[in-house]
Amino acid sequence: MYSLIFKIIEIIILLVSLEYKLIRKSCKLSLFLPKIWFVMSKTVLSLQGVDIYQNNHKVLSNLNLEVKNGEFIYIIGKTGAGKSSFMKTLYADLPLLTGQGNIVDYDLGKLKEKDIPYLRRSLGVVFQDFKLLPDRTIYGNLHFALRATGWAEKKAMDRKIEEVLDKVSMLPHIQKMPHQLSGGEQQRVAIARALLNDPDLILADEPTGNLDPQTSAEVMELLLKINESGRTIIMVTHDYALLLKYPAKTLKCDDGTIFEVVHRTAQ
Ligand SMILES: Nc1ncnc2c1ncn2[C@@H]1O[C@H](COP(=O)(O)OP(=O)(O)OP(=O)(O)O)[C@@H](O)[C@H]1O
């Protein structure tokens, strides 16, 4: 009896030590311990004293922000408040000139031109106007995105394309041209494209801006499902109906800065 108990304790100790080693190597390999504590505590975005510029015009000042892995964050604010400029700085379309900014382990202030494709490989970016290439099929669009981010082996690329299209329920449309799809379907493909490189963080700039309320809700539910699978999402939106239906942490861009908005619930 005692020997059995000792054996069980021994096995538990072995598994815990193995788990610890795997967590140190990569949290994705973790075995059985509640890895959520480890994954959730990872910071995917940190800004300290950051100013955001468009050319020489300062759009946002002194941003201090920390986003943890697994969060879903809305960015709201009126037209011209600086939401897109903020997002563009995060995916290095605008340079970080002042302050300290780290995103998925890249230092935005020290980023060289040659690093930008690698940063973008670690991010998924979704736009309001889908940005699909009109001259090729859905397969061709995703294939192009994989090639642009360093993939070369055809079988692996085909497997990945099928996997991400399946995730967004668009696999049956793989051979269609973008113009043969509805807006909501095109946005699903754009989301699939954002998932190609298994990004930790997805930046979505008004992903439902061109969609009707029903289709917006469907795209939103897809994004929430992706978020539940462990990916962090930062989403710009003007759609207050979505905020009410799917409440989440909300940051407001206003008066040259960004601050958290606390939702009031009805009494
Ligand atoms: N390429 C540019 N050159 C100079 N100024 C720009 C440029 N793009 C945007 N701006 C200015 O920067 C400010 C912020 O613009 P931005 O597009 O970030 O706002 P936004 O909050 O995303 O607006 P919207 O909700 O309309 O998309 C605005 O005053 C805008 O006029």
Side-chain angles (χ1 to χ4, degrees):
M1 178 67 183
Y2 281 122
S3 72
L4 181 67
I5 291 172
F6 281 127
K7 198 77 202 159
I8 290 171
I9 291 172
E10 201 180 304
I11 290 170
I12 290 173
I13 290 171
L14 190 76
L15 285 172
V16 168
S17 69
L18 182 59
E19 168 79 2
Y20 179 69
K21 280 181 199 153
L22 289 174
I23 280 177
R24 288 189 51 173
K25 260 187 149 178
S26 160
C27 54
K28 283 182 183 140
L29 288 173
S30 152
L31 278 180
F32 69 97
L33 279 182
K35 60 180 178 182
I36 296 160
W37 66 269
F38 180 81
V39 176
M40 291 291 288
S41 64
K42 196 177 157 210
T43 298
V44 289
L45 170 66
S46 151
L47 302 179
Q48 283 159 8
V50 163
D51 298 330
I52 305 279
Y53 289 89
Q54 279 283 5
N55 296 322
N56 290 326
H57 165 59
K58 197 194 277 187
V59 178
L60 296 166
S61 300
N62 194 24
L63 305 186
N64 296 290
L65 182 65
E66 183 159 308
V67 176
K68 297 278 190 196
N69 203 25
E71 287 195 89
F72 190 106
I73 295 180
Y74 290 115
I75 309 276
I76 59 168
K78 55 181 191 273
T79 290
K83 305 177 296 296
S84 294
S85 308
F86 171 75
M87 298 292 262
K88 283 180 179 172
T89 308
L90 300 188
Y91 58 83
D93 203 35
L94 291 174
L96 185 86
L97 302 175
T98 51
Q100 176 71 35
N102 288 78
I103 185 162
V104 289
D105 297 331
Y106 285 84
D107 184 335
L108 285 170
K110 292 189 181 146
L111 216 57
K112 305 251 182 332
E113 200 66 32
K114 67 175 174 47
D115 301 324
I116 293 176
Y118 296 100
L119 165 68
R120 301 232 175 111
R121 212 184 286 185
S122 309
L123 297 171
V125 188
V126 181
F127 302 95
Q128 176 175 358
D129 58 355
F130 325 130
K131 295 207 191 303
L132 297 178
L133 300 169
D135 64 341
R136 60 199 76 194
T137 62
I138 300 316
Y139 172 86
N141 266 272
L142 299 192
H143 189 268
F144 179 86
L146 283 177
R147 289 295 298 269
T149 50
W151 290 60
E153 213 238 302
K154 183 168 178 340
K155 270 194 185 149
M157 286 196 277
D158 286 355
R159 264 199 311 274
K160 194 71 201 177
I161 290 170
E162 287 187 10
E163 180 196 313
V164 294
L165 283 176
D166 192 39
K167 268 195 188 135
V168 301
S169 311
M170 287 300 291
L171 193 49
H173 303 274
I174 188 166
Q175 291 306 340
K176 286 193 180 159
M177 301 294 282
H179 73 265
Q180 294 175 300
L181 301 178
S182 70
E185 288 169 338
Q186 289 190 51
Q187 194 57 295
R188 282 178 178 273
V189 173
I191 292 170
R193 183 182 54 194
L195 293 173
L196 283 172
N197 286 301
D198 291 319
D200 287 332
L201 175 58
I202 293 178
L203 303 173
D205 195 349
E206 287 197 61
T208 62
N210 282 352
L211 307 175
D212 64 67
Q214 169 66 28
T215 314
S216 293
E218 285 166 18
V219 165
M220 190 63 205
E221 276 165 24
L222 175 60
L223 289 172
L224 288 171
K225 202 171 95 189
I226 291 166
N227 174 243
E228 275 163 23
S229 75
R231 291 173 221 277
T232 314
I233 299 187
I234 301 180
M235 170 175 155
V236 170
T237 186
H238 281 290
D239 191 337
Y240 285 84
L242 283 185
L243 256 79
L244 290 175
K245 193 167 178 192
Y246 307 99
K249 182 169 168 180
T250 304
L251 304 178
K252 186 169 185 182
C253 234
D254 194 18
D255 211 13
T257 192
I258 294 184
F259 50 89
E260 187 170 349
V261 181
V262 180
H263 293 284
R264 289 210 182 87
T265 49
Q267 296 290 311

